């Protein structure tokens, strides 16, 4: 019965607050005299959480970029630039309360029938507080901070020679930097071959000396070729799925600006990131042996028979992520006879899918 009596709802709210939860995210409600043997719960609707990771790349030319070809025969970065690209996305369904689907179910007195609910009031089980829905959680992308470039580390200042500091000519400083690079390469070769005048005392000292040479060479080379650093920004968007499948389709989730990253869906500085919801099967009411639609049992324990949908995330004509999932609102609501759960000889238990309110398992409680 889709009905929520105010006085009973208040008493049940007080009751649920007084009963310790079986876990952090669950509560147990017992159909007893205090609750007038009635329990209230809410069936969920399905929403989507779309998590998008965008990588930011910042490039900067080195001080001696004009001399990179001459001294190192390399192709340097010629101008500062910031670019963004989407690297990863995850689509996952989540549950939200449906205020239109609140139910009061009454059980036979003295049976001790109980339900476990999530903190949001979604049903988890009847007569089984050990039930763990075990909902799989997709690994979400993580934000990554940009690390300092080699030119922002102490090795960069250590690599600069006094002659480079004293020279006022960029051309001369570039020449001295190139000479230092080749000197470092020679030193590395001599240490590795055992021909250095001052060989490191042991293996650890050799590793330290070679590491110092590598870092100094990297810093000097960056003065010619430039630097590049990356970071990752992660944003999560919550999307309502239309109750009417005919209203589903393609929408702009966000936009990606190559210079500003993820921006609002109405910010035309960025190219659109599209989310397309494609309805699949629609939930249908069960039928009897004659093919006739069954009627909702009096005072039944309401549950969903969900439908399905597929969601696709695309950017610049390419698919980024796709997921197929059950959708509560694309289904129908039916019910189970409450007498199933109050039998003295063989009471039943019921496991719900907390994301849709659908039935996962119906069985008999074992002693």
């Amino acid at each position: 019965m889709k009905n929520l009596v105010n006085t009973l709802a208040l008493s049940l709210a007080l009751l649920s607050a007084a009963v310790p939860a079986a876990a952090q995210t669950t509560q147990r409600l017992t159909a007893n005299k205090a609750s007038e043997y009635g329990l209230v719960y809410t069936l969920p609707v399905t929403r989507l959480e779309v998590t998008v990771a965008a990588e930011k790349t910042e490039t900067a030319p080195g001080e001696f970029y004009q001399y990179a070809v001459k001294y190192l025969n390399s192709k340097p970065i010629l101008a500062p630039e910031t670019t963004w690209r989407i690297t990863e996305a995850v689509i996952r369904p989540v549950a939200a309360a449906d205020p239109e689907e609140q139910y009061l179910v009454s059980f036979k007195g003295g049976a001790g029938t109980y339900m476990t609910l999530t903190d949001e009031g979604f049903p988890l089980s009847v007569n089984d507080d050990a039930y763990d829905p075990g909902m799989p959680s997709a690994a979400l992308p993580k934000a990554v901070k940009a690390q300092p470039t080699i030119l922002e580390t102490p090795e960069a200042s250590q690599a600069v020679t006094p002659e480079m500091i004293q020279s006022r000519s960029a051309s001369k400083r570039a020449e001295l930097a190139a000479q230092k690079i080749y000197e470092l390469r020679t030193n590395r070769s001599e240490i590795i071959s055992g021909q250095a005048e001052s060989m490191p005392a042991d293996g650890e000292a050799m590793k330290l000396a070679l590491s110092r040479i590598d870092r100094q060479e990297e810093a000097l080379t960056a003065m010619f070729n430039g630097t590049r650093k990356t970071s990752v920004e992660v944003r999560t968007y919550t999307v309502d799925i239309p109750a009417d499948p005919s209203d589903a389709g393609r929408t702009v989730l966000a936009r990606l600006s190559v210079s500003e990253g993820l921006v609002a869906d109405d910010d035309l500085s960025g190219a659109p990131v599209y989310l397309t919801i494609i309805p699949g099967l629609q939930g249908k009411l069960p039928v009897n042996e004659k093919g006739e639609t069954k009627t909702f049992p009096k005072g039944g324990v309401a549950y969903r028979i969900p439908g399905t949908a597929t969601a696709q995330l695309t950017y610049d004509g390419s698919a980024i992520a796709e997921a197929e999932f059950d959708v509560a609102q694309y289904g129908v609501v039916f019910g189970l006879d409450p007498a199933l759960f109050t039998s003295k000889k063989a009471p039943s238990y019921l496991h719900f899918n907390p994301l849709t309110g659908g039935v996962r398992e119906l069985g008999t409680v074992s002693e």
Side-chain angles (χ1 to χ4, degrees):
M1 176 180 179
K2 187 188 291 188
N3 182 22
L4 195 56
V5 182
N6 290 337
T7 54
L8 180 57
L10 177 61
S11 67
L12 287 178
L14 294 173
L15 179 64
S16 65
V19 178
Q24 264 193 335
T25 56
T26 64
Q27 53 184 320
R28 171 172 165 162
L29 303 180
T30 301
N32 53 28
K33 189 175 181 180
S35 65
E36 299 182 15
Y37 303 102
L39 300 179
V40 175
Y41 61 93
T42 303
L43 291 178
V45 292
T46 305
R47 287 179 177 169
L48 291 180
E49 281 190 355
V50 184
T51 302
V52 182
E55 182 185 72
K56 178 183 182 181
T57 301
E58 299 173 273
T59 57
E63 179 184 355
F64 309 132
Y65 75 94
Q66 293 173 303
Y67 307 95
V69 175
K70 178 179 179 180
Y71 290 116
L72 302 184
N73 193 29
S74 60
K75 293 182 179 180
I77 295 169
L78 300 178
E81 184 180 29
T82 299
T83 59
W84 290 81
R85 67 186 184 99
I86 294 176
T87 56
E88 187 180 359
V90 174
I91 303 172
R92 60 176 183 170
V94 294
D98 186 347
E100 300 299 320
E101 297 294 344
Q102 293 181 317
Y103 289 86
L104 164 63
V105 57
S106 295
F107 294 101
K108 183 179 178 181
T113 306
Y114 62 90
M115 294 184 70
T116 58
L117 311 178
T118 68
D119 285 343
E120 297 86 354
F122 307 147
L124 285 175
S125 68
V126 179
N127 288 340
D128 186 1
D129 57 5
Y131 168 58
D132 179 2
M135 302 303 295
S137 56
L140 298 178
K142 296 182 179 180
V144 179
K145 291 184 177 180
Q147 298 300 308
T149 70
I150 186 64
L151 294 182
E152 297 170 328
T153 64
E155 285 84 351
S157 58
Q158 295 168 6
V160 176
T161 65
E163 292 81 2
M164 291 171 60
I165 297 173
Q166 294 167 3
S167 176
R168 295 183 179 181
S169 167
S171 175
K172 183 62 176 178
R173 290 198 302 274
E175 181 183 355
L176 292 170
Q179 290 175 358
K180 181 66 175 179
I181 289 173
Y182 293 117
E183 178 186 326
L184 290 169
R185 291 175 180 176
T186 299
N187 291 343
R188 180 193 298 108
S189 178
E190 290 177 348
I191 290 175
I192 293 174
S193 63
Q195 297 177 355
E197 291 185 6
S198 300
M199 287 293 296
D202 53 30
E204 284 300 316
M206 178 181 288
K207 286 174 60 177
L208 183 62
L210 291 175
S211 175
R212 187 180 298 114
I213 289 172
D214 290 343
R215 295 287 286 173
Q216 290 188 13
E217 181 185 346
E218 183 182 355
L220 290 166
T221 301
M223 293 178 187
F224 289 91
N225 292 340
T227 59
R228 184 187 310 271
K229 62 180 176 182
T230 61
S231 58
V232 177
E233 178 183 293
V234 175
R235 292 192 185 180
T236 297
Y237 304 86
T238 301
V239 180
D240 290 329
I241 299 175
D244 187 340
S246 64
D247 292 333
R250 190 176 77 165
T251 58
V252 178
L253 178 75
R255 291 178 180 270
L256 182 71
S257 166
V258 293
S259 59
E260 300 299 326
L262 290 166
V263 295
D265 58 358
D266 58 355
D267 187 338
L268 300 183
S269 69
V273 180
Y274 290 112
L275 177 67
T276 304
I277 297 175
I278 306 168
L281 299 175
Q282 306 299 299
K284 295 182 179 180
L285 292 170
V287 297
N288 58 24
E289 296 80 359
K290 298 180 180 180
E292 300 169 336
T293 300
K294 292 184 177 181
T295 57
F296 194 100
K298 184 178 180 181
V301 178
Y303 66 92
R304 294 261 198 192
I305 302 174
T308 63
T310 299
Q312 298 174 340
L313 196 69
T314 57
Y315 174 72
D316 195 24
S318 299
I320 303 170
E322 182 173 316
E324 185 176 353
F325 49 91
D326 289 338
V327 181
Q329 57 268 39
Y330 286 175
V332 292
V333 176
F334 197 62
L336 294 170
D337 188 341
L340 288 170
F341 308 99
T342 58
S343 168
K344 292 184 178 180
K345 292 184 178 180
S348 296
Y349 67 86
L350 177 63
H351 295 167
F352 289 89
N353 181 333
L355 287 180
T356 64
V359 171
R360 277 187 168 176
E361 185 178 336
L362 175 65
T364 303
V365 176
S366 58
E367 294 296 336

